[in-house]
Amino acid sequence: MSNTQIRMANAIRALAMDAVQQANSGHPGMPMGMADIAVGLWNEHLQHNPIDPQWINRDRFVLSNGHGSMLLYALLHLTGYDLPIGELKNFRQLHSKTPGHPEFGITPGVETTTGPLGQGIANAVGMALAEKLLAEEFNRPGHEVVNHYTYAFLGDGCLMEGISHEVCSLAGTLKLNKLIALWDDNGISIDGKVVSWFNDDTPKRFESYGWNAIRNVDGHDADAVSAAIARAKNSDQPTLICCKTAIGQGSPNLAGSDKVHGAPLGAQEIAETRIALNWPYAPFDIPKDLYDAWSFKVRGQQLQHDWNKLFQSYSKANPKLAAELKRRMQGDLSEEFLPALTALIERCQAKAETIATRKASQNAIEALAPALPEFLGGSADLTGSNLTNWSACKPVRANQWGNHINYGVREFGMSAILNGITLHGGYIPFGGTFLTFSDYSRNALRMAALMKIRSIFVFTHDSIGLGEDGPTHQSIEQVSSLRIIPNLTVWRPCDTTESAVAWGAAISRKEGPSALIFSRQNCAFVSRNAAQIKEIARGGYVLFEPKNGKIDAVIIATGSEVSIAMQAAQGLAKEKLAIRVVSMPSTSAFDKQATAYKEKVLPEGVPRISIEAGITDFWWKYGCAAAHGVDTFGESAPANQLYEHFGLTADQLSKTVKQCIFNNSFKQTKKH
């Protein structure tokens, strides 16, 4: 290592310890320990442009061990991104661009939000997969316009998390050779030396996945790290580079101990560290020669300039492909999409099919896929049940381009990989599993919502309606639990038309993820007029209205329970009771509507009764007088018997409605 490289690494160490000290909060140990690794990658290999952080062909860098965020912030600042020193001084402070963990959309150059350990490497797998598929789809001889690497830093914590097994196993199987992970093998976590609870032979573990493992790299030698990366680039497998480091490297008294993991060094130790590093500068003071050494602006602009010339040549030779790649990387939908969606909805109305909404979902995918070449479907080993495939889809394999991924039994890994694909750009990914297994996926769903990205999560077998599999598979609380995740739009449609609208809304929504929830059992088609069809996208609308304009009560229903509500309302009409049925396929969308619209759909002073085959607690916020649902776990029996057992029938619902009307039992608990 040259003296300049040593000083470049020490600049990272100084910024990390100074920022954590000023914030009196943070993790200085990892940035100090991985500083030399960062020099080896960022100064020698990483292809990026600080002037244009969204350059299509940039390498992707993921800091999976995101608690060491000051490493990334220091790198972004030093290399020339729009992250001035004042933001580093405001580390972990309100409204700064340097939050405690890297957050996508907040800091220029941050590719993904990495808080929960393990999800960063999962996102990196998704990014590498997207790059591989786009390259196979768009590159032509002499015009490799998609040609970049995905690099991930990760620590022991990421490797302990089970999700790392899920995603790294799949990455090896698919031979994602442009994925290079650098492991910070420092043997320390919050509780101390990890050898007592994490003693895997990690390189062998990764080799068993089908990875190339490069062992025993000196993580404090930037040249050794750079050489290992060069070797990794020649592999036909993803690579794990095992970098042996000391956490808190440079701290004379704390290096190598858990005490430097998640707490400031303290003024005295920082002073001694400055002496040990021969760093005579004031806090946050970086010499000009080091700024010059680190700056990547000129090199980055040249890299992008060279690529632009390549892309211009590509565009002349392949104008349609070039235009399509640009459209997809911008996240725009094709001109064919809206006509295809309109035609789909019209067919649904014309056919009036009574089918399971999971089948209605597949029909929607089938109809929309020709207008969406960016569709990238998949399922966690349940394709035949989730019905996320379509007639023209092709399976993704190690040496075969495809647009449907068999994720295996990896629900959490699938969901986090979806996020990585979305973040990379070029595809609109969706993946399916049973709704009850959304619990496995939940943290990835939360990250998608936090990042405001267009990942689409398909969940089928949405209630006790799946029947004999019993309570382990019957979703009781999952729908409501997903609805409380901010910025996740949840749809539970009742028939083919609502399923088509739900898919259209999820695809069109660029500012956040969607969860599409479908039934195993058949759901009766409901006839609608054109005005009602337009209002489905509002999330809640009047589906059935009494003829005389009078309203004695309102039934709010979703999914497979809408048909029960319709039966009850039509039966009560024979008893001269005027019942409005409100179908609410998306409470998320309905809650965002104007107050006037919501009051029009749910008029004040009229008893409201909800019905959904799940827990009832969620529905009280709509001022319901009664809520029909399932507040215990399910039973193992045929679906029709379960609906009878739990009182989810038109007769039982009718009795409840009459009680609310005649017994003066209606009390609006909360004005919505």
Side-chain angles (χ1 to χ4, degrees), residues 483-494:
R483 287 174 178 146
I484 66 175
I485 299 177
N487 199 43
L488 174 66
T489 295
V490 179
W491 290 88
R492 185 172 183 250
C494 76

Side-chain angles (χ1 to χ4, degrees), residues 147-461:
N147 183 15
H148 52 267
Y149 285 85
T150 300
Y151 298 98
F153 282 5
L154 69 164
D156 293 320
C158 294
L159 295 174
M160 283 186 255
E161 290 284 4
I163 190 174
S164 71
H165 163 75
E166 294 184 30
V167 301
C168 292
S169 170
L170 184 61
T173 301
L174 295 178
K175 294 188 179 297
L176 302 181
N177 63 304
K178 287 189 176 179
L179 173 62
I180 299 175
L182 295 103
W183 170 33
D184 180 27
D185 181 14
N186 61 35
I188 295 292
S189 67
I190 291 174
D191 281 355
K193 294 182 178 180
V194 302
V195 67
S196 298
W197 51 86
F198 179 57
N199 198 25
D200 300 2
D201 188 333
T202 299
K204 281 188 178 179
R205 170 186 159 192
F206 272 74
E207 287 171 342
S208 75
Y209 295 153
W211 284 55
N212 168 40
I214 300 177
R215 293 168 166 78
N216 301 319
V217 175
D218 183 353
H220 298 305
D221 184 341
D223 289 332
V225 172
S226 178
I229 295 170
R231 286 176 56 195
K233 288 181 175 180
N234 290 321
S235 175
D236 63 353
Q237 301 170 300
T239 297
L240 177 72
I241 301 176
C242 307
C243 303
K244 195 64 183 176
T245 65
I247 190 171
Q249 175 75 356
S251 172
N253 303 302
L254 299 179
S257 76
D258 59 279
K259 293 181 174 60
V260 75
H261 181 280
L265 272 65
Q268 181 60 38
E269 185 65 16
I270 287 178
E272 294 185 30
T273 302
R274 278 185 150 78
I275 295 171
L277 296 177
N278 191 24
W279 189 261
Y281 312 106
F284 300 102
D285 183 13
I286 304 296
K288 182 180 181 303
D289 69 308
L290 288 184
Y291 273 123
D292 292 342
W294 266 116
S295 178
F296 211 81
K297 288 183 178 180
V298 174
R299 284 186 285 174
Q301 286 179 293
Q302 185 62 51
L303 286 168
Q304 187 166 353
H305 173 75
D306 293 343
W307 182 85
N308 287 341
K309 289 177 62 177
L310 175 65
F311 192 76
Q312 288 173 3
S313 174
Y314 176 78
S315 299
K316 290 179 181 179
N318 307 280
K320 290 184 178 180
L321 281 176
E324 177 69 5
L325 179 59
K326 287 178 67 175
R327 176 189 72 79
R328 285 167 54 171
M329 291 302 294
Q330 290 167 355
D332 298 330
L333 297 176
S334 70
E335 294 180 356
E336 293 79 19
F337 169 68
L338 285 179
L341 178 61
T342 300
L344 168 64
I345 294 170
E346 290 174 351
R347 284 198 300 275
C348 290
Q349 287 294 107
K351 286 188 173 183
E353 292 178 296
T354 291
I355 56 176
T357 54
R358 62 170 174 161
K359 181 59 180 176
S361 167
Q362 186 180 45
N363 291 345
I365 296 169
E366 183 75 35
L368 297 175
L372 294 168
E374 60 265 50
F375 248 8
L376 183 58
S379 177
D381 202 49
L382 291 167
T383 302
S385 294
N386 300 149
L387 304 182
T388 53
N389 57 341
W390 63 102
S391 60
C393 72
K394 297 180 180 179
V396 173
R397 297 291 184 261
N399 298 306
Q400 171 184 301
W401 178 87
N403 52 7
H404 189 274
I405 304 168
N406 299 104
Y407 286 98
V409 187
R410 301 180 176 103
E411 296 89 354
F412 188 11
M414 173 184 70
S415 300
I417 288 172
L418 288 179
N419 290 342
I421 295 169
T422 303
L423 288 161
H424 180 279
Y427 291 102
I428 297 178
F430 59 92
T433 187
F434 289 171
L435 177 58
T436 193
F437 303 142
S438 66
D439 290 341
Y440 283 144
S441 302
R442 187 177 184 86
N443 210 274
L445 272 65
R446 183 175 184 270
M447 289 297 101
L450 197 157
M451 290 188 281
K452 303 178 182 178
I453 59 175
R454 183 171 46 190
S455 297
I456 301 175
F457 305 97
V458 177
F459 298 112
T460 66
H461 296 60

